[in-house]
Structures are given as structure tokens and as C-alpha cells.
Amino acid sequence: MNSLMKRVAFGVLGLVVVLAWWTLTGKHESTPSMDKIPSKIWEGGAGQVTIEVDSSDPATLRADFEKADPSDPSKPHQRLQTWEKVAAGQHSWTIDVPAGTRGTLEFEAVGPKPGSKLSWTVHAGGKQIAQETQTMDKPLQANEAFFLRVEMEDLATGKLEGGE
């Protein structure tokens, strides 16, 4: 067997061993996901996030959530990835969230062209967190996207990532 074939064989063998280990021990992490923005995350109860959007093109709202258990750091984090595809126009969601839930919200146009518009207003913790309007001025290049994004340290209180 030549050197290249040995390296390929060992690489494949290594991958098979890792996949077998994960399957037998359950030592892999998978993040639950859903293709609809829910009205309540886990037990909810601490606050609400309201997202109002408007788009000249079809778009996708993504909302990713993460919560750690501060009383027991050895417990795994709860995570949830959600998204919802919408037609051009105005849409809104209100999400009930539990305390200490981090989140990333992203509103992305699908197939935008010059002149395409995205806008949103995000409220959390009883205050306005984001209000933004973007108009695309030139065609997208490879590996580019047209979107709005906000990251929050605590969705229930409206505390921005690295902010107040």
C-alpha cells in the first residue's frame, strides 16, 4: 500500500471510530431546531421579545436561544435554533422567554437585488432594542448576505450582548 492510500485509510478508520464512539456512548451534542418561531421558549415567564419586520422580498427570521443553569454549571446548556420563512411584507412575532436566556435574532432577505429593503423593530424587557432599515445598493457578491442582526445577553430584560 502506498503512503497516500495508507493516510486515506487511517483517516477513514478514524472517522468510523469517532462516529461509532458517539453512537455507542451518546457523547455528541445536537441542538434542537424548529422551522417556526415559537410563542414560548421552554418555561417562559420572565419577559417577552417582540419582533416586527418588513421586507420587499421573501425573507427568513432566525431566532437562536441558549440558557445555562446558574445553580448547576455541570448541567448542559439548553439550546434551541428556530427559523421561519416569510413572504415579502410585514410580519410580527411575540416570544415569551425565561430569565437568563441569551439570544441571537437575524432577519435575512432571500434572493435580494439592488433596491431590496429590510426593516425591523425589536422590543425586549419593555424597551426598544433595535430599529433599523437597510436598502441594498449593489448586487451581492459570492458569500455575502443581506440581513439585520442583534445579539442579546438576556432576552427577558433586553440586555444587549456586551452592553448595558
Side-chain angles (χ1 to χ4, degrees):
M1 207 189 247
N2 69 31
S3 174
L4 177 61
M5 288 182 68
K6 284 182 185 177
R7 283 192 275 172
V8 169
F10 280 118
V12 170
L13 179 61
L15 180 60
V16 168
V17 168
V18 168
L19 291 174
W21 175 257
W22 284 351
T23 301
L24 294 173
T25 65
K27 300 281 186 190
H28 63 286
E29 190 175 313
S30 119
T31 300
S33 64
M34 53 194 318
D35 62 358
K36 182 111 175 113
I37 303 296
S39 60
K40 184 176 184 179
I41 300 300
W42 304 304
E43 71 276 8
Q48 291 187 328
V49 177
T50 301
I51 308 153
E52 298 170 337
V53 301
D54 192 6
S55 176
S56 61
D57 300 284
T60 302
L61 177 68
R62 288 183 184 78
D64 294 339
F65 307 95
E66 181 177 352
K67 182 180 173 209
D69 183 348
S71 66
D72 186 355
S74 66
K75 283 187 177 178
H77 286 18
Q78 286 181 290
R79 291 190 176 112
L80 178 62
Q81 295 177 333
T82 66
W83 67 92
E84 190 167 326
K85 295 180 179 197
V86 295
Q90 297 178 345
H91 306 275
S92 67
W93 298 264
T94 298
I95 308 165
D96 186 16
V97 296
T101 302
R102 301 173 67 90
T104 301
L105 305 174
E106 189 173 282
F107 186 51
E108 180 179 359
V110 176
K113 55 206 163 300
S116 291
K117 291 185 180 187
L118 287 178
S119 65
W120 73 355
T121 303
V122 179
H123 289 88
K127 57 188 171 185
Q128 184 174 295
I129 299 304
Q131 183 172 23
E132 191 172 1
T133 299
Q134 297 260 350
T135 301
M136 199 167 93
D137 58 356
K138 60 181 180 165
L140 294 176
Q141 301 300 309
N143 301 317
E144 289 184 338
F146 181 53
F147 63 94
L148 305 172
R149 180 183 174 105
V150 66
E151 294 183 28
M152 286 185 266
E153 192 169 310
D154 188 341
L155 289 160
T157 64
K159 184 176 182 185
L160 292 171
E161 188 74 25
E164 42 184 80

